[in-house]
């Protein structure tokens, strides 16, 4: 048993990993050894030694007033892992299968933390459609389509992010180009995130563009939300989202998650949820 009632790790390596994980559990930019020790369930002196060693390795960065944050080695590790995530052709095949199954337009968004948490479109299956039909002007692509607080795809990601990041997103204004159905009230937005976590999917009604409704599901890898998959259809065609579309979107999200874990999953158009 470690000091202050904390449970000590069985090895030095385990303790180091627990300190690294503490940063993700706490959220925010920087933390002191005491807060990290409590989150990692280690004693203060052990955590302090790990932080000092990590500073020399670029894993941690020392800031003023005894605070530390993750260093450049942390995103380098993440980028290395993501470089071997789903092959583009495999992910695109899943989106094409989703488009054919639902008769809508299919998109894959990934969480992009650099410069503040937002989403970026990684791939799409839109057939012969012109994206200007959706109101996706160059300005809208850089505003509405980046926002995590607007649209089913954004909220499907936001619902599974730590509260500290959610608060940062809610502090940003709703883009002026957002559709008439966007959640402009934070209370309603937070309630929608609770529904998403309960259901496992998000529904959007004219949030990103007038005249278009959406269904999205989060793409998670080992419990970490990485993005979302989305289907858009004109509201006159999809006034209410049918269970078949919801099931198809959820199946596509699960298949993309399997690809991210290194378990290739071919799109099965005979699956009952795709009919």
């Amino acid at each position: 048993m470690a000091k202050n009632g904390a449970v000590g790790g069985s090895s030095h390596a385990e303790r180091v990993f627990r300190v690294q994980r503490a940063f993700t559990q706490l959220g925010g930019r920087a933390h002191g050894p005491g807060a990290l020790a409590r989150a990692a369930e280690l004693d203060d002196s052990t955590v302090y030694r790990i932080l000092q060693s990590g500073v020399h390795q670029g894993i941690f960065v020392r800031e003023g007033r005894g605070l530390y944050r993750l260093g450049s080695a942390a995103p380098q590790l993440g980028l290395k892992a993501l470089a071997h995530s789903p092959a583009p052709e495999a992910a695109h095949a899943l989106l094409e299968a989703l488009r054919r199954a639902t008769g809508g337009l299919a998109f894959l968004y990934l969480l992009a933390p650099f410069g503040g948490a937002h989403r970026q479109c990684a791939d799409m299956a839109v057939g012969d459609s012109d994206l200007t039909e959706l109101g996706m002007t160059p300005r809208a692509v850089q505003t509405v389509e980046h926002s995590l607080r607007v649209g089913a795809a954004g909220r499907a990601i936001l619902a599974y992010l730590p509260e500290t990041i959610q608060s940062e997103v809610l502090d940003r204004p709703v883009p002026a180009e957002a559709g008439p159905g966007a959640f402009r009230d934070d209370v309603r937005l937070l309630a929608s995130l609770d529904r998403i976590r309960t259901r496992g999917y998000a529904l959007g009604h004219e949030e990103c563009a007038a005249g278009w409704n959406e269904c999205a599901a989060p793409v998670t890898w080992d419990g970490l939300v990485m993005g979302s998959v989305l289907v858009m259809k004109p509201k006159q065609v999809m006034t209410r989202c049918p269970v078949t579309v919801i099931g198809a979107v959820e199946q596509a999200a699960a298949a993309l998650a399997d690809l991210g874990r290194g378990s290739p999953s071919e799109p099965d158009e005979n699956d009952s949820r795709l009919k």
Side-chain angles (χ1 to χ4, degrees):
M1 183 72 68
K3 296 179 182 178
N4 303 325
V7 179
S10 61
S11 68
H12 176 70
E14 180 185 338
R15 295 185 184 102
V16 172
F17 289 134
R18 285 164 67 173
V19 171
Q20 289 176 313
R21 184 172 179 82
F23 278 95
T24 65
Q25 292 172 327
L26 292 171
R29 175 180 172 82
H31 305 282
L36 292 165
R38 289 188 293 273
E41 295 187 308
L42 297 169
D43 61 81
D44 292 7
S45 60
T46 296
V47 171
Y48 181 78
R49 289 194 299 272
I50 290 173
L51 290 171
Q52 297 310 302
S53 177
V55 166
H56 296 296
Q57 301 297 324
I59 299 173
F60 309 118
V61 173
R62 184 189 297 108
E63 296 198 342
R65 303 182 305 281
L67 297 178
Y68 297 81
R69 62 177 173 83
L70 291 172
S72 61
Q76 286 175 9
L77 187 63
L79 288 171
K80 181 67 174 178
L82 291 175
H84 301 285
S85 59
E89 59 273 13
H92 188 74
L94 288 168
L95 291 182
E96 286 290 355
L98 180 61
R99 179 183 68 84
R100 292 191 296 270
T102 62
L105 308 180
F107 298 82
L108 171 62
Y109 288 93
L110 295 182
L111 174 63
F114 188 77
H118 60 279
R119 59 182 166 115
Q120 289 186 328
C121 183
D123 198 3
M124 65 183 74
V126 298
D128 296 328
S129 297
D130 185 341
L131 294 184
T132 57
E133 298 172 2
L134 313 182
M136 286 188 181
T137 63
R139 180 175 175 81
V141 168
Q142 293 298 319
T143 55
V144 178
E145 295 303 317
H146 271 201
S147 177
L148 291 179
R149 63 174 297 157
V150 177
R155 291 186 293 110
I157 298 172
L158 183 62
Y160 296 93
L161 291 175
E163 290 185 5
T164 52
I165 298 180
Q166 288 182 357
S167 297
E168 292 173 5
V169 172
L170 265 62
D171 284 341
R172 302 171 199 160
V174 176
E177 296 80 7
F183 290 89
R184 289 175 166 78
D185 179 83
D186 287 353
V187 174
R188 291 183 60 227
L189 175 59
L190 288 171
S192 79
L193 302 185
D194 286 336
R195 289 194 296 273
I196 292 169
R197 288 188 291 268
T198 299
R199 297 171 174 174
Y201 61 88
L203 300 177
H205 302 278
E206 298 188 275
E207 288 187 57
C208 292
W212 290 85
N213 290 343
E214 308 169 329
C215 177
V219 177
T220 60
W221 296 346
D222 299 326
L224 179 67
V225 65
M226 300 298 296
S228 62
V229 63
L230 169 78
V231 163
M232 294 182 68
K233 300 185 74 171
K235 73 172 184 177
Q236 64 267 29
V237 176
M238 190 174 74
T239 304
R240 295 177 61 87
C241 188
V243 294
T244 51
V245 171
I246 294 172
V249 170
E250 289 183 313
Q251 185 198 21
L256 286 163
D258 286 342
L259 286 175
R261 286 190 292 268
S263 306
S265 177
E266 293 296 328
D268 182 4
E269 297 184 14
N270 294 318
D271 192 294
S272 61
R273 291 172 294 183
L274 291 179
K275 295 190 180 293

